[in-house]
Amino acid sequence: IERPICPPKKAIKRQNALFGMGNPLLDICAVVDKDFLDKYGLKPNDQILAEEKHKEMFEEIVKKFKVEYHAGGATQNSVKVAQWMIQEPHKVATFFGCIGKDKFGKILKEKAEEAHVDAHYYEQSEEPTGTCAACITGDNRSLVANLAAANCYKKEKHLDLEENWKLVEKAEVYYIAGFFLTVSLESILKVAKHASENNKIFCLNLSAPFICEFFKEALMKVMPYVDILFGNETEAAAFAQERGFETEDIEEIAKKAQSLPKENKKRQRIVVFTQGKEGTVMTKGDKVETFPVLEINQSEIVDTTGAGDAFVGGFLSQLVQDKTFEQCIRAGHYSANVIIRHAGCTFPEKPDFH
Protein backbone atom coordinates (compact mmCIF):
# COMPACT_ATOMS: atom_id res chain seq x y z
CA ILE A 1 0.00 0.00 0.00
CA GLU A 2 1.39 3.39 -0.97
CA ARG A 3 2.04 5.88 1.77
CA PRO A 4 2.47 9.61 1.34
CA ILE A 5 6.20 10.33 1.15
CA CYS A 6 6.94 12.46 4.20
CA PRO A 7 10.18 13.74 5.67
CA PRO A 8 11.33 11.23 8.32
CA LYS A 9 11.71 13.88 11.03
CA LYS A 10 7.94 14.25 11.24
CA ALA A 11 6.48 13.55 14.65
CA ILE A 12 2.98 12.18 14.45
CA LYS A 13 0.24 14.54 15.59
CA ARG A 14 2.38 17.49 16.60
CA GLN A 15 1.07 20.98 17.11
CA ASN A 16 0.67 23.18 14.02
CA ALA A 17 1.33 20.23 11.66
CA LEU A 18 -1.76 21.13 9.62
CA PHE A 19 -2.13 24.62 8.17
CA GLY A 20 -5.32 26.10 6.72
CA MET A 21 -6.02 29.56 5.34
CA GLY A 22 -9.38 30.86 4.13
CA ASN A 23 -12.54 32.88 4.72
CA PRO A 24 -13.62 32.78 8.36
CA LEU A 25 -17.38 33.28 8.48
CA LEU A 26 -19.67 33.16 11.45
CA ASP A 27 -22.70 31.05 10.58
CA ILE A 28 -25.82 32.52 12.13
CA CYS A 29 -28.44 29.76 12.15
CA ALA A 30 -32.06 30.38 13.04
CA VAL A 31 -35.45 28.87 12.39
CA VAL A 32 -37.29 31.74 10.70
CA ASP A 33 -40.77 32.20 9.21
CA LYS A 34 -41.96 32.63 5.66
CA ASP A 35 -42.54 36.37 6.22
CA PHE A 36 -38.84 36.78 7.00
CA LEU A 37 -37.84 34.97 3.79
CA ASP A 38 -40.31 37.05 1.76
CA LYS A 39 -39.16 40.30 3.32
CA TYR A 40 -35.62 39.70 2.05
CA GLY A 41 -36.63 37.94 -1.18
CA LEU A 42 -35.09 34.59 -0.23
CA LYS A 43 -35.93 31.18 -1.67
CA PRO A 44 -36.46 28.50 0.99
CA ASN A 45 -33.47 26.47 -0.25
CA ASP A 46 -30.66 28.50 -1.72
CA GLN A 47 -27.09 29.72 -1.41
CA ILE A 48 -26.37 33.31 -2.37
CA LEU A 49 -23.97 36.16 -1.70
CA ALA A 50 -25.48 39.05 0.25
CA GLU A 51 -26.55 42.15 -1.67
CA GLU A 52 -27.37 45.63 -0.44
CA LYS A 53 -30.98 44.62 0.40
CA HIS A 54 -29.78 41.93 2.82
CA LYS A 55 -27.63 44.19 5.00
CA GLU A 56 -30.12 44.71 7.87
CA MET A 57 -31.16 41.08 7.73
CA PHE A 58 -28.14 40.03 9.75
CA GLU A 59 -29.07 42.31 12.67
CA GLU A 60 -32.78 41.48 12.46
CA ILE A 61 -32.29 37.71 12.56
CA VAL A 62 -30.38 38.06 15.84
CA LYS A 63 -33.03 40.34 17.40
CA LYS A 64 -36.07 38.44 16.25
CA PHE A 65 -35.21 34.75 16.42
CA LYS A 66 -33.35 32.32 18.64
CA VAL A 67 -30.00 32.01 16.88
CA GLU A 68 -27.16 29.55 17.15
CA TYR A 69 -23.66 30.65 16.22
CA HIS A 70 -21.25 28.24 14.53
CA ALA A 71 -17.80 29.11 13.25
CA GLY A 72 -18.04 28.51 9.52
CA GLY A 73 -16.25 29.08 6.24
CA ALA A 74 -15.09 26.08 4.22
CA THR A 75 -11.40 25.86 5.20
CA GLN A 76 -12.10 26.65 8.83
CA ASN A 77 -14.75 23.89 8.90
CA SER A 78 -12.26 21.39 7.48
CA VAL A 79 -9.42 22.15 9.90
CA LYS A 80 -11.89 22.06 12.77
CA VAL A 81 -13.12 18.60 11.76
CA ALA A 82 -9.50 17.44 11.37
CA GLN A 83 -8.73 18.66 14.89
CA TRP A 84 -11.86 16.93 16.22
CA MET A 85 -10.83 13.65 14.58
CA ILE A 86 -7.32 13.94 16.06
CA GLN A 87 -8.51 15.07 19.55
CA GLU A 88 -5.08 15.21 21.21
CA PRO A 89 -2.85 17.19 21.24
CA HIS A 90 -4.81 20.39 20.85
CA LYS A 91 -3.75 22.88 18.17
CA VAL A 92 -2.53 20.38 15.58
CA ALA A 93 -4.48 22.59 13.19
CA THR A 94 -3.54 26.23 12.49
CA PHE A 95 -5.90 28.62 10.73
CA PHE A 96 -5.33 32.07 9.16
CA GLY A 97 -8.04 34.40 7.89
CA CYS A 98 -9.38 37.93 8.32
CA ILE A 99 -12.04 39.15 10.75
CA GLY A 100 -13.31 42.48 12.08
CA LYS A 101 -12.82 43.95 15.53
CA ASP A 102 -16.39 43.32 16.62
CA LYS A 103 -18.82 41.07 18.49
CA PHE A 104 -18.95 38.46 15.72
CA GLY A 105 -15.16 38.41 15.47
CA LYS A 106 -15.01 37.78 19.20
CA ILE A 107 -17.43 34.85 18.85
CA LEU A 108 -15.31 33.39 16.02
CA LYS A 109 -12.24 33.54 18.23
CA GLU A 110 -14.11 31.81 21.08
CA LYS A 111 -15.47 29.10 18.76
CA ALA A 112 -12.02 28.39 17.30
CA GLU A 113 -10.68 28.07 20.83
CA GLU A 114 -13.49 25.67 21.83
CA ALA A 115 -12.56 23.55 18.80
CA HIS A 116 -8.88 23.62 19.92
CA VAL A 117 -7.79 25.12 16.59
CA ASP A 118 -4.82 27.50 16.72
CA ALA A 119 -6.50 30.39 14.90
CA HIS A 120 -4.47 33.52 14.16
CA TYR A 121 -6.79 36.06 12.61
CA TYR A 122 -5.76 39.23 10.86
CA GLU A 123 -8.00 41.77 12.62
CA GLN A 124 -8.91 45.02 10.91
CA SER A 125 -11.58 47.65 11.52
CA GLU A 126 -12.46 48.67 7.94
CA GLU A 127 -14.94 45.81 7.47
CA PRO A 128 -17.09 43.79 9.88
CA THR A 129 -16.54 40.06 10.41
CA GLY A 130 -17.90 37.94 7.57
CA THR A 131 -21.15 36.14 8.26
CA CYS A 132 -23.39 33.56 6.69
CA ALA A 133 -27.05 33.62 7.66
CA ALA A 134 -28.66 30.19 7.57
CA CYS A 135 -32.39 30.83 7.50
CA ILE A 136 -34.09 27.55 8.32
CA THR A 137 -37.74 26.78 7.53
CA GLY A 138 -38.78 23.14 7.97
CA ASP A 139 -36.02 21.04 6.44
CA ASN A 140 -34.94 23.82 4.09
CA ARG A 141 -32.18 26.30 4.69
CA SER A 142 -31.46 29.47 2.76
CA LEU A 143 -27.83 30.58 3.03
CA VAL A 144 -26.80 34.19 2.58
CA ALA A 145 -23.06 34.86 2.78
CA ASN A 146 -21.57 38.27 3.41
CA LEU A 147 -17.75 37.95 3.06
CA ALA A 148 -17.01 41.46 4.37
CA ALA A 149 -13.80 41.24 6.45
CA ALA A 150 -12.92 37.79 5.05
CA ASN A 151 -12.26 39.57 1.76
CA CYS A 152 -9.67 41.87 3.38
CA TYR A 153 -6.90 39.35 4.09
CA LYS A 154 -3.52 40.90 3.18
CA LYS A 155 -0.31 38.94 2.68
CA GLU A 156 1.99 41.78 3.77
CA LYS A 157 -0.15 42.64 6.81
CA HIS A 158 -0.36 39.10 8.19
CA LEU A 159 1.17 36.12 6.35
CA ASP A 160 4.55 37.84 5.90
CA LEU A 161 4.93 38.71 9.60
CA GLU A 162 7.71 36.65 11.11
CA GLU A 163 5.69 35.11 13.95
CA ASN A 164 2.95 34.04 11.50
CA TRP A 165 5.28 32.71 8.81
CA LYS A 166 7.00 30.58 11.50
CA LEU A 167 3.67 28.76 11.95
CA VAL A 168 3.49 28.15 8.21
CA GLU A 169 6.99 26.68 8.30
CA LYS A 170 6.03 24.37 11.18
CA ALA A 171 3.36 22.64 9.10
CA GLU A 172 3.71 19.47 6.99
CA VAL A 173 0.28 19.55 5.34
CA TYR A 174 -1.44 22.63 3.86
CA TYR A 175 -5.07 23.03 2.89
CA ILE A 176 -6.78 25.97 1.19
CA ALA A 177 -10.28 26.00 -0.28
CA GLY A 178 -10.66 27.46 -3.77
CA PHE A 179 -12.94 30.14 -2.31
CA PHE A 180 -9.81 31.93 -1.06
CA LEU A 181 -8.64 32.44 -4.67
CA THR A 182 -11.12 35.34 -4.80
CA VAL A 183 -9.39 36.96 -1.82
CA SER A 184 -5.60 36.63 -1.92
CA LEU A 185 -3.89 34.70 -4.71
CA GLU A 186 -0.47 36.00 -3.60
CA SER A 187 -0.94 34.50 -0.10
CA ILE A 188 -1.90 31.13 -1.59
CA LEU A 189 1.10 31.14 -3.93
CA LYS A 190 3.53 31.97 -1.14
CA VAL A 191 2.30 29.02 0.94
CA ALA A 192 2.05 26.68 -2.08
CA LYS A 193 5.62 27.43 -3.18
CA HIS A 194 6.93 26.89 0.34
CA ALA A 195 5.25 23.47 0.44
CA SER A 196 6.56 22.52 -2.99
CA GLU A 197 10.14 23.62 -2.31
CA ASN A 198 10.22 21.68 0.96
CA ASN A 199 8.50 18.54 -0.34
CA LYS A 200 5.51 19.06 1.93
CA ILE A 201 1.90 18.35 0.98
CA PHE A 202 -0.23 21.17 -0.47
CA CYS A 203 -3.96 20.51 -0.90
CA LEU A 204 -6.51 22.63 -2.75
CA ASN A 205 -10.27 22.32 -3.18
CA LEU A 206 -12.08 23.39 -6.36
CA SER A 207 -14.84 24.58 -3.94
CA ALA A 208 -17.49 25.72 -6.44
CA PRO A 209 -18.24 25.76 -10.16
CA PHE A 210 -17.91 29.57 -10.18
CA ILE A 211 -14.29 29.24 -9.02
CA CYS A 212 -13.51 26.91 -11.95
CA GLU A 213 -15.28 29.27 -14.37
CA PHE A 214 -14.53 32.82 -13.25
CA PHE A 215 -11.28 32.40 -11.32
CA LYS A 216 -9.66 29.86 -13.63
CA GLU A 217 -6.53 31.96 -14.22
CA ALA A 218 -5.83 32.17 -10.51
CA LEU A 219 -6.68 28.49 -10.13
CA MET A 220 -4.25 27.46 -12.86
CA LYS A 221 -1.46 29.58 -11.34
CA VAL A 222 -1.75 27.51 -8.16
CA MET A 223 -2.30 24.12 -9.85
CA PRO A 224 1.41 23.30 -10.46
CA TYR A 225 1.92 23.27 -6.68
CA VAL A 226 -1.12 21.12 -5.86
CA ASP A 227 -0.28 17.67 -4.45
CA ILE A 228 -3.86 16.74 -3.59
CA LEU A 229 -6.82 18.22 -5.45
CA PHE A 230 -10.30 17.87 -3.90
CA GLY A 231 -13.67 18.56 -5.49
CA ASN A 232 -17.17 17.17 -5.95
CA GLU A 233 -18.81 15.90 -9.13
CA THR A 234 -20.30 19.29 -10.17
CA GLU A 235 -16.99 21.09 -9.66
CA ALA A 236 -15.13 18.35 -11.52
CA ALA A 237 -17.49 18.75 -14.49
CA ALA A 238 -17.10 22.55 -14.49
CA PHE A 239 -13.32 22.20 -14.27
CA ALA A 240 -13.26 19.71 -17.16
CA GLN A 241 -15.36 22.02 -19.30
CA GLU A 242 -13.15 25.05 -18.61
CA ARG A 243 -9.98 23.06 -19.32
CA GLY A 244 -11.41 21.60 -22.53
CA PHE A 245 -10.96 18.00 -21.34
CA GLU A 246 -13.78 16.90 -23.67
CA THR A 247 -15.06 14.22 -21.31
CA GLU A 248 -17.80 14.00 -18.69
CA ASP A 249 -16.47 10.76 -17.23
CA ILE A 250 -15.38 11.58 -13.67
CA GLU A 251 -12.55 9.01 -13.69
CA GLU A 252 -11.17 10.46 -16.93
CA ILE A 253 -11.44 13.99 -15.51
CA ALA A 254 -9.51 12.85 -12.42
CA LYS A 255 -6.76 11.36 -14.60
CA LYS A 256 -6.48 14.48 -16.73
CA ALA A 257 -6.37 16.74 -13.66
CA GLN A 258 -3.68 14.47 -12.20
CA SER A 259 -1.49 14.85 -15.29
CA LEU A 260 -1.58 18.67 -15.43
CA PRO A 261 1.95 20.15 -15.03
CA LYS A 262 3.44 19.90 -11.55
CA GLU A 263 6.44 21.60 -9.92
CA ASN A 264 7.48 19.08 -7.26
CA LYS A 265 8.22 15.88 -9.18
CA LYS A 266 8.87 13.88 -5.99
CA ARG A 267 5.15 13.47 -5.47
CA GLN A 268 2.60 12.45 -8.04
CA ARG A 269 -0.58 14.52 -7.77
CA ILE A 270 -3.54 12.75 -6.17
CA VAL A 271 -7.05 13.78 -7.26
CA VAL A 272 -10.03 13.03 -5.01
CA PHE A 273 -13.58 13.67 -6.22
CA THR A 274 -16.60 13.04 -3.97
CA GLN A 275 -20.02 12.37 -5.50
CA GLY A 276 -22.53 12.75 -2.67
CA LYS A 277 -23.99 9.33 -1.93
CA GLU A 278 -22.11 7.77 -4.87
CA GLY A 279 -18.58 6.49 -4.34
CA THR A 280 -15.52 8.72 -3.97
CA VAL A 281 -13.04 8.60 -6.85
CA MET A 282 -9.28 8.74 -6.23
CA THR A 283 -6.33 8.52 -8.61
CA LYS A 284 -3.64 6.08 -7.59
CA GLY A 285 -0.56 5.74 -9.76
CA ASP A 286 -2.03 5.39 -13.23
CA LYS A 287 -5.26 3.84 -11.94
CA VAL A 288 -8.45 5.39 -10.62
CA GLU A 289 -10.23 3.71 -7.71
CA THR A 290 -13.75 4.22 -6.38
CA PHE A 291 -14.52 3.91 -2.67
CA PRO A 292 -18.17 3.48 -1.60
CA VAL A 293 -19.48 5.89 1.06
CA LEU A 294 -21.09 4.72 4.31
CA GLU A 295 -24.76 3.80 4.09
CA ILE A 296 -27.22 6.19 5.72
CA ASN A 297 -31.02 6.40 5.85
CA GLN A 298 -32.56 9.49 4.32
CA SER A 299 -34.44 9.98 7.61
CA GLU A 300 -31.16 10.30 9.54
CA ILE A 301 -29.89 13.18 7.40
CA VAL A 302 -30.45 16.49 9.17
CA ASP A 303 -28.69 18.60 6.55
CA THR A 304 -25.83 18.04 4.15
CA THR A 305 -24.21 21.44 4.68
CA GLY A 306 -20.56 21.03 5.52
CA ALA A 307 -20.44 17.40 4.30
CA GLY A 308 -17.72 18.20 1.74
CA ASP A 309 -15.76 20.27 4.27
CA ALA A 310 -16.07 17.41 6.77
CA PHE A 311 -14.86 14.86 4.24
CA VAL A 312 -11.71 16.91 3.67
CA GLY A 313 -11.26 17.37 7.42
CA GLY A 314 -11.39 13.64 8.05
CA PHE A 315 -9.01 13.01 5.16
CA LEU A 316 -6.50 15.59 6.44
CA SER A 317 -6.65 14.20 9.99
CA GLN A 318 -5.12 10.93 8.75
CA LEU A 319 -2.81 12.52 6.19
CA VAL A 320 -1.11 14.49 8.97
CA GLN A 321 -0.56 11.20 10.79
CA ASP A 322 1.07 9.65 7.72
CA LYS A 323 -1.68 7.07 7.23
CA THR A 324 -2.41 5.42 3.86
CA PHE A 325 -4.61 7.24 1.36
CA GLU A 326 -7.22 4.48 1.77
CA GLN A 327 -7.37 5.27 5.47
CA CYS A 328 -7.63 9.00 4.67
CA ILE A 329 -10.70 8.33 2.51
CA ARG A 330 -12.28 6.08 5.16
CA ALA A 331 -11.87 8.88 7.72
CA GLY A 332 -13.30 11.40 5.26
CA HIS A 333 -16.37 9.22 4.72
CA TYR A 334 -16.75 8.76 8.47
CA SER A 335 -16.65 12.51 9.30
CA ALA A 336 -19.01 13.42 6.45
CA ASN A 337 -21.43 10.74 7.68
CA VAL A 338 -21.36 12.26 11.18
CA ILE A 339 -21.78 15.87 10.01
CA ILE A 340 -24.90 15.19 7.92
CA ARG A 341 -26.63 13.90 11.05
CA HIS A 342 -26.14 17.30 12.71
CA ALA A 343 -27.24 20.83 11.82
CA GLY A 344 -24.54 22.86 10.07
CA CYS A 345 -20.93 21.76 10.36
CA THR A 346 -21.22 20.56 13.97
CA PHE A 347 -20.36 17.24 15.57
CA PRO A 348 -20.59 15.25 18.83
CA GLU A 349 -17.95 15.59 21.53
CA LYS A 350 -15.72 12.73 20.37
CA PRO A 351 -15.33 10.73 17.17
CA ASP A 352 -15.80 6.96 17.08
CA PHE A 353 -13.39 6.17 14.27
CA HIS A 354 -10.89 3.32 14.26
Side-chain angles (χ1 to χ4, degrees), residues 112-167:
E113 218 166 293
E114 281 167 26
H116 307 301
V117 168
D118 194 12
H120 293 256
Y121 297 113
Y122 166 47
E123 298 180 46
Q124 47 75 60
S125 29
E126 304 289 298
E127 285 281 340
T129 297
T131 47
C132 180
C135 311
I136 300 160
T137 50
D139 53 5
N140 289 323
R141 60 211 306 288
S142 196
L143 302 177
V144 186
N146 179 25
L147 289 186
N151 211 17
C152 301
Y153 190 83
K154 299 277 185 291
K155 173 176 163 292
E156 60 286 356
K157 294 265 175 77
H158 192 261
L159 187 67
D160 292 345
L161 304 185
E162 192 186 351
E163 67 271 26
N164 293 332
W165 188 250
K166 275 199 173 116
L167 289 167

Side-chain angles (χ1 to χ4, degrees), residues 13 120 280:
K13 296 211 287 196
H120 293 256
T280 297

Side-chain angles (χ1 to χ4, degrees), residues 42-60:
L42 303 176
K43 294 178 190 153
N45 223 1
D46 208 3
Q47 233 168 330
I48 61 165
L49 284 175
E51 296 166 44
E52 208 42 59
K53 64 179 180 185
H54 301 115
K55 290 288 186 269
E56 296 101 77
M57 192 188 94
F58 290 85
E59 288 301 316
E60 185 179 338

Side-chain angles (χ1 to χ4, degrees), residues 21 44 125 129 136 139 142 154 162 169 188 190 199 228-229 245 251 300 318:
M21 179 166 65
S125 29
T129 297
I136 300 160
D139 53 5
S142 196
K154 299 277 185 291
E162 192 186 351
E169 293 179 324
I188 300 177
K190 183 174 183 181
N199 193 29
I228 302 179
L229 180 68
F245 285 171
E251 297 195 2
E300 295 172 68
Q318 305 305 297

